[in-house]
Amino acid sequence: MGRPTPPSGLLHQLPLEVLIVIFQWVLFDSHTFWQKIKASLALSQIDRQLREVVCKTPLLWVYLTCPPASSPQVKGGPNLTQLLKLVASRSASAPLQIEARQVKFRDLSSLFEVVCKPSQVSRWQTFKIAYDDRSTGPFLNRYKDDLRQAMDPLFSLLWSSRPRMEYLTDLVICQRDVDATSPGLFGKPWRLPIAPNLIRMLIENAEISWSETPFYPSLVELTLKNPLSGYNEPGGPNLTRFLERQTSITTLKLLGSFATVECLTDRFTMPNLVDLHLMVEGPFNTDFLCNLNAPNLDQLTVCPSLKGWGPVFWDKEKASQLKIKTVKELIWYQVTEEDFIHIKDGPLYILLAANISSDACIRRQSD
């Protein structure tokens, strides 16, 4: 009886196309970008023949990120900059997936040193970054200096050349633990890139130069949570003009504090908007829903905190100006069955229910 065939021997018997699909599934099963990088490296070390297949398959090397701040780097391995350069070189000309979430600043510097090179910028397909402001504590100034230094290659790229990113489809910029009393974390606001194929964008607590933001002809989903304006910019008018320019948006999510919508005081039109989420904290009036002209609005989702929308509900003149007649589905988000009973007696429910389509569905969603 012959010796059993080792696993790598079985892999050698598979067609090249099947092998590549299997390797891609290994990466798909790796949840974080850092795990995907480690998976690609592990696959390249099975044996010499498979290493050649792995190293010459660019789609296995398109993920660029840093190790989580909570996990130390492997001792004795190549430094992070060298590792990321290796990964980027093996990706050849494939579109890049870039992510940095809660990472060490020195690692962030290594990432931007690699991905902000002109040869790489044009290949960005997804770019997602989340960082802390941490505007308290004895090390505040040192923290901010370190963060600015780490982000400098990225801001230099955005402000010096205004790159055109043909592949970019997903953009996420999140600043956590923001302190609104000390704006200007980087000395200048974010300047968003030119990206004609951008599909989804999420901005959270980040200062944006809205007046310089370009038209995104492919943008269909936009999420704004406490969007801040750049220095010396009137936030509301510029943000309103930005929204009106993005005529392809079908889903708009406004989250965070009531200021997210309170600054939108001018009338504007979003011709293709179908799905609107209003999940903001604190009371504010209904001027936003009066100013927004969305002739194809079909679904409106609101959050329980909107119960505080105050006495304006009894203003009949304003109520008649609400532009939500086309809504076919009104969803109360994160609401228990017990709370929904009380919400039905509230002024917000009465107002919205009276101003939507008579055959509209009104329901709750627990999560």
Side-chain angles (χ1 to χ4, degrees):
M1 188 171 180
R3 297 176 61 185
T5 306
S8 60
L10 293 174
L11 289 174
H12 292 153
Q13 300 173 26
L14 296 174
L16 179 60
E17 295 79 7
V18 175
L19 258 182
I20 292 174
V21 170
I22 292 174
F23 292 157
Q24 288 179 315
W25 270 104
V26 172
L27 266 64
F28 179 79
D29 198 45
S30 303
H31 298 295
T32 68
F33 277 23
W34 185 245
Q35 289 173 338
K36 294 179 189 297
I37 290 178
K38 294 200 298 183
S40 295
L41 292 171
L43 290 171
S44 69
Q45 296 168 9
I46 297 175
D47 64 30
R48 183 175 56 82
Q49 287 179 276
L50 293 179
R51 174 182 174 82
E52 186 176 0
V53 173
V54 172
C55 293
K56 292 185 177 180
T57 304
L59 291 179
L60 299 179
W61 303 96
V62 296
Y63 301 97
L64 288 167
T65 188
C66 308
S70 57
S71 64
Q73 295 184 36
V74 179
K75 294 182 179 180
N79 67 46
L80 184 61
T81 303
Q82 291 175 331
L83 174 60
L84 294 177
K85 285 181 179 179
L86 173 66
V87 173
S89 66
R90 289 179 176 174
S91 67
S93 59
L96 297 174
Q97 319 296 321
I98 303 166
E99 182 178 270
R101 295 177 182 268
Q102 314 307 324
V103 300
K104 297 175 183 176
F105 293 152
R106 66 173 181 270
D107 294 343
L108 198 60
S109 297
S110 296
L111 176 65
F112 290 148
E113 182 181 339
V114 174
V115 303
C116 290
K117 291 184 179 299
S119 59
Q120 310 296 359
V121 170
S122 60
R123 296 198 288 133
W124 291 13
Q125 185 172 47
T126 65
F127 180 82
K128 301 179 181 181
I129 182 170
Y131 54 91
D132 293 329
D133 181 0
R134 295 186 187 176
S135 299
T136 58
F139 302 107
L140 169 61
N141 291 332
R142 179 179 174 182
Y143 177 93
K144 287 190 172 183
D145 288 342
D146 289 345
L147 180 57
R148 286 172 185 158
Q149 184 176 354
M151 300 284 278
D152 184 64
L154 177 61
F155 271 76
S156 296
L157 170 72
L158 295 175
W159 280 97
S160 63
S161 60
R162 193 61 176 276
R164 183 180 179 89
M165 302 179 180
E166 296 286 348
Y167 286 116
L168 190 66
T169 59
D170 291 79
L171 177 64
V172 175
I173 302 174
C174 293
Q175 179 172 306
R176 309 289 187 185
D177 303 322
V178 67
D179 181 358
T181 64
S182 60
L185 184 61
F186 302 115
K188 61 179 67 173
W190 284 86
R191 191 186 193 206
L192 300 182
I194 297 172
N197 296 302
L198 187 67
I199 297 173
R200 288 167 292 271
M201 177 161 57
L202 186 155
I203 304 294
E204 178 179 345
N205 293 325
E207 292 175 290
I208 306 293
S209 179
W210 294 112
S211 62
E212 296 195 46
T213 301
F215 166 55
Y216 294 115
S218 302
L219 184 65
V220 296
E221 182 176 325
L222 174 65
T223 301
L224 299 176
K225 183 175 182 180
N226 305 324
L228 307 175
S229 293
Y231 323 115
N232 302 318
E233 278 195 9
N238 283 332
L239 181 54
T240 301
R241 283 193 289 272
F242 164 75
L243 291 174
E244 190 161 41
R245 285 202 306 271
Q246 313 311 319
T247 54
S248 59
I249 290 179
T250 60
T251 299
L252 176 63
K253 300 179 181 180
L254 300 175
L255 319 174
S257 74
F258 66 91
T260 301
V261 294
E262 193 175 54
C263 68
L264 300 172
T265 56
D266 296 335
R267 295 180 182 273
F268 64 104
T269 299
M270 300 186 73
N272 292 304
L273 184 64
V274 174
D275 189 2
L276 174 62
H277 296 241
L278 292 176
M279 293 180 250
V280 296
E281 302 167 358
F284 63 93
N285 61 39
T286 54
D287 286 351
F288 168 72
L289 288 175
C290 296
N291 291 330
L292 171 62
N293 178 26
N296 292 301
L297 186 62
D298 184 79
Q299 180 173 294
L300 175 62
T301 302
V302 294
C303 193
S305 61
L306 299 184
K307 289 185 294 184
W309 275 14
V312 72
F313 293 145
W314 308 115
D315 187 326
K316 293 183 178 180
E317 181 178 351
K318 278 197 172 182
S320 65
Q321 296 174 9
L322 289 178
K323 297 182 175 64
I324 57 174
K325 299 291 185 184
T326 60
V327 169
K328 295 293 190 299
E329 188 170 28
L330 175 61
I331 301 172
W332 297 85
Y333 186 67
Q334 291 184 336
V335 174
T336 64
E337 188 172 354
E338 182 180 356
D339 287 341
F340 197 44
I341 296 174
H342 299 294
I343 288 175
K344 287 182 176 180
D345 294 328
L348 177 57
Y349 183 98
I350 295 172
L351 178 72
L352 296 182
N355 283 278
I356 61 177
S357 172
S358 58
D359 60 346
C361 171
I362 302 178
R363 63 182 179 87
R364 68 177 183 86
Q365 185 173 329
S366 57
D367 54 25

